[in-house]
Amino acid sequence: MNGCTITGMGTALPDRVVRNEELTALFDTSDQWIRERSGIVTRRVAAGPLATEPLPPHVPGGLGTTGRLAVEAGRRALSAAGVTPDRIDLLILCTTSPDQQVPANSAAVSAALGVRGGAMDLNAACAGFTYGLVTAGGLLGAGARHVLLIGAETLTRITDWSDRSSAFLFGDGAGAAVVSSVPGEGCLLGWDLGVDGSLVDLLYTDHGAGMVMKGQEVFRRAVRVTVDSAVASLERAKVTADQIALFVPHQANIRIMETVATKLGIPTDRMASVIAETGNTSSASIPLALAGAVAAGRLSDGDLVLLAGFGAGMTWASVVWRWQATD
Ligand code: UT7
């Protein structure tokens, strides 16, 4: 079995920045309340009442906003990795907000990128990218050479803009990684995947409807499952929390992120956070936070990274990863 490593990353965000203050035009809220309860200051928006431009008319088989963000992030990751699209054996597009119901969004994205290997969508909500990383690791171990893993969302298209208890949370964006095979153990040291489908009612979107969320209940469960999953991954990797150089949690709420870090015994200054700028971007949040930390020079060769996501389903996933610097 081969191991795997990340050989390049890329991100993409819509241009439109929406500040908390702008949301007061839609519902009764304040910048102070949103900052204190969630840590969010701005988010990027491609759809909904605050978007600058209307979504382009639907073109069957074409790319909507999720697809376009995915292509931009994917192209940047390929370029950073120095891998041409024809060498990708599988494109995994993690998303809860695809441009079309059928076919998978990854089909149009693969065509736009020139990927000729397989392509599939993966919906594990906000745990999507971490689920995808484990899936990529398995495939690379089984003989694939390169997997392009993308988390991309247009959550503002399925946000209920009349619901002040959830609408301020969500934003749009994409993050991507080229995951490549390497001889030997590689970088995926430990992982844990889980789901409790009896909790579907906590967070869901019906066809053609807006997102419904029981915020307090999600909060409570999120802390518990993320801590338990992270502990399981650390044990599998045979490392302890104090060895973790960077904790990259799903960016859902700064209070959830800090509570989980504290319960794990990881100082919050070792946590990657982009939530103030991006809000909750579901599948895109972990790669956006990881890419941000890499760009800021926060990771050195050999550093241990803990990724941990949770989301609708309820799903959860965590990974212990040894960072390998690329040239
Ligand atoms: O990606 C994973 C999915 N989502 C999550 O992880 C979200 C998990 N949940 C949360 O992050 C939090 O529950 C929220 C940030 C959504 C809400 O924070 P909270 O501390 O749980 O607030 P709450 O729902 O307990 O509401 C507290 C008060 C209520 O007023 P009363 O009943 O105390 O008078 C709400 O009506 O705040 C009120 N409120 C607001 N006030 C101003 C609710 N939304 C707002 C708002 N602005 N936007």
Side-chain angles (χ1 to χ4, degrees), residues 27-30 33-34 37-38 126 163-170 203 213-220 222 250-253 255-256 280 282 310-312:
F27 41 77
D28 183 18
T29 190
S30 67
W33 190 94
I34 296 172
R37 296 293 176 123
S38 70
C126 310
D163 178 11
R164 74 167 184 164
S165 68
S166 67
F168 64 92
L169 285 171
F170 303 113
L203 179 52
M213 184 179 77
K214 294 182 181 150
Q216 284 186 356
E217 189 64 10
V218 173
F219 191 117
R220 210 167 55 78
H250 166 47
Q251 314 277 302
N253 182 326
R255 289 156 53 217
I256 298 178
N280 178 346
S282 193
F310 66 90

Side-chain angles (χ1 to χ4, degrees), residues 94 96 122-134 153 190-196 203 218-219 221-233 246-253 256-257 260-261 264 271-272 280-287 289-290 305-320:
C94 312
T96 56
L122 190 161
N123 181 351
C126 310
F129 190 84
T130 317
Y131 259 78
L133 195 53
V134 176
E153 303 282 3
W191 56 271
D192 177 67
L193 301 179
V195 66
D196 181 350
L203 179 52
V218 173
F219 191 117
R221 303 242 181 203
V223 170
R224 197 188 308 153
V225 300
T226 311
V227 170
D228 289 350
S229 181
V231 167
S233 281
L246 187 73
F247 175 43
V248 190
H250 166 47
Q251 314 277 302
N253 182 326
I256 298 178
M257 294 157 60
V260 170
L264 289 170
M271 187 170 77
N280 178 346
T281 56
S282 193
S283 301
S285 93
I286 285 182
L290 177 60
V305 183
L306 172 65
L307 312 179
F310 66 90
M314 185 169 202
T315 56
W316 57 87
S318 60
V319 156
V320 175

Side-chain angles (χ1 to χ4, degrees), residues 11 31 146:
T11 62
D31 173 48
H146 302 282

